[in-house]
């Protein structure tokens, strides 16, 4: 009886038909291709250029042009870098200071120990026993002694200078009972500046002057944060550096001797004001450049504002036209057991993957959709296969296969189709079958 009724219903044309992928459709041949990594790579090689956003989305209002003449902005001024830096150790080399040689500006003393007759012979040069007389070394390296004349001692050690004065006195038949010493060391010096108590010029004399001696003479360090401070020494075109923390931890670093012409600067990464004062000559150049740039920026302000408004208007207009579907777009279509049968607009400027399309629209219903039967239908013309249709088959029953979906690039007019679960087909067929069967039975009764 049930069979008879089923046949009767079938005879009435009541059947359930679900969509599926077949190898032939309306005369077109369908090539079903498993979606493997090899096929993904081959499919992705098909030529495709995504649509681009209008230029207004890539431009900015500050074109570096002046509002009046179109000339470029002046170069940005130099300012010292105040970012934190890793301070490396470049210690002063171990050198032996050379013997002191008398130079221009030094003051030498002649002290006599001779008898009164010798004092009379020097006519006031050595005025009395044990009296000391100072002489400044002149620009040509000489000192002038009354009644004797000039004696060239520039560039000589103290001993060499004493010997030369001795020879001069002997040649003038004067008893050379005297001693020579340097009273003021003015020809050789080192400078100390930066984060110290006071910028100082430290004379280099007969005794060795160490880096620690020079810093002490300048009033010591005035560093707020030792972590970012360093002592830098410029010597003969080379810059040496000792981080302050290392200098305090290793006192031997401060024992390095200074030489004539050394420039010592205590620098801090964040003590910008001191650095600017120390390099005042550079700041003068900066000030002139800033004045020029300030004038140019004033002229640009109105022009930049106008251009920014124009760009904003163009972008807003494009977004409005897009919302009204008045702009050309490229779409992928989702059908079958997806949560939302719809079209997916391909993005501007880059490609979208199969995973992007599926999960941007909420994925698919795993209760009704068959994860082993996910297809991407593509016009064979993309692959050079004429009128054929390519059906890329993704078997995602093993979720690992979804990795291929993240790599597979979509093309315009692709159709993503997910087939029903077999049980879903039966359930839907029965849902349609039983009401008709009951109606037929009622009618027959």
């Amino acid at each position: 009886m049930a069979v008879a009724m089923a046949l009767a219903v079938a005879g009435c044309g009541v059947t359930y038909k679900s969509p599926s992928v077949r190898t032939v459709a309306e005369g077109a041949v369908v090539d079903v291709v498993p979606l493997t990594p090899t096929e993904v790579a081959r499919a992705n090689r098909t030529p495709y250029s995504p649509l681009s956003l209008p230029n207004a989305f890539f431009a900015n209002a500050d074109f570096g042009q002046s509002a009046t003449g179109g000339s470029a902005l002046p170069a940005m001024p130099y300012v010292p870098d105040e970012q934190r830096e890793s301070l490396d150790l470049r210690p002063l080399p171990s050198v032996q200071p050379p013997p002191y040689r008398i130079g221009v500006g030094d003051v030498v003393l002649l002290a006599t120990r001779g008898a009164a007759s010798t004092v009379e012979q020097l006519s006031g040069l050595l005025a009395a026993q044990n009296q000391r007389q100072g002489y400044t070394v002149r620009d040509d390296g000489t000192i002038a002694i009354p009644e004797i004349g000039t004696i060239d001692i520039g560039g000589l050690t103290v001993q060499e200078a004493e010997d030369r004065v001795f020879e001069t006195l002997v040649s003038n038949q004067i008893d050379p009972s005297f001693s020579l010493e340097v009273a003021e060391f003015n020809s050789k010096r080192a400078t100390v500046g930066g984060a110290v108590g006071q910028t100082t010029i430290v004379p280099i004399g007969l005794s060795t002057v160490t880096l620690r001696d020079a810093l002490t003479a300048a009033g010591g360090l005035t560093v707020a944060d030792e972590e970012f401070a360093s002592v830098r020494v410029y010597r003969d075109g080379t810059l040496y550096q000792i981080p302050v923390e290392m200098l305090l931890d290793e006192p031997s670093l401060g024992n390095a001797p200074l030489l004539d012409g050394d420039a010592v600067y205590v620098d801090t990464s964040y003590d910008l004001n001191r650095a600017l004062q120390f390099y005042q000559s550079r700041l003068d150049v900066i000030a002139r450049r800033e004045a020029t740039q300030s004038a140019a920026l004033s002229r640009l302000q109105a022009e930049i504002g106008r251009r920014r408004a124009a760009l904003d208007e163009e972008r807003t207009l494009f977004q409005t036209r897009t919302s009204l579907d008045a702009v050309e777009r490229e779409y992928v279509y989702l059908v079958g057991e997806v949560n939302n049968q719809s079209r997916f607009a391909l993005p501007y400027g880059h490609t979208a993957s199969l995973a992007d399309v599926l999960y941007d629209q909420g994925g698919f219903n795993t209760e009704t959709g068959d994860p082993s039967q996910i297809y991407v239908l593509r016009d064979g013309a993309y692959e050079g296969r004429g009128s054929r249709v390519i059906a890329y088959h993704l078997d995602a029953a093993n979720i690992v296969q979804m990795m291929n979906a993240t790599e597979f690039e979509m093309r315009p007019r692709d159709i993503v189709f997910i087939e029903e679960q077999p049980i879903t087909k039966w359930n839907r067929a029965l849902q349609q079958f039983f009401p008709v069967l009951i109606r037929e039975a009622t009618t027959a009764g």
Side-chain angles (χ1 to χ4, degrees), residues 278-297:
F278 192 75
Y279 297 112
Q280 187 61 49
S281 59
R282 187 173 293 180
L283 283 180
D284 292 339
V285 176
I286 295 173
R288 290 194 294 270
R289 294 176 65 186
E290 285 181 339
T292 302
Q293 193 168 44
S294 177
L297 288 175

Side-chain angles (χ1 to χ4, degrees), residues 124-156:
L125 164 64
L126 308 174
Q129 188 174 3
N130 297 326
Q131 184 171 342
R132 298 151 65 89
Q133 179 69 40
Y135 298 91
T136 301
V137 179
R138 300 187 297 188
D139 291 345
D140 57 358
T142 64
I143 58 173
I145 301 177
E147 308 296 335
I148 298 298
T150 60
I151 304 176
D152 188 0
I153 61 173
L156 303 180

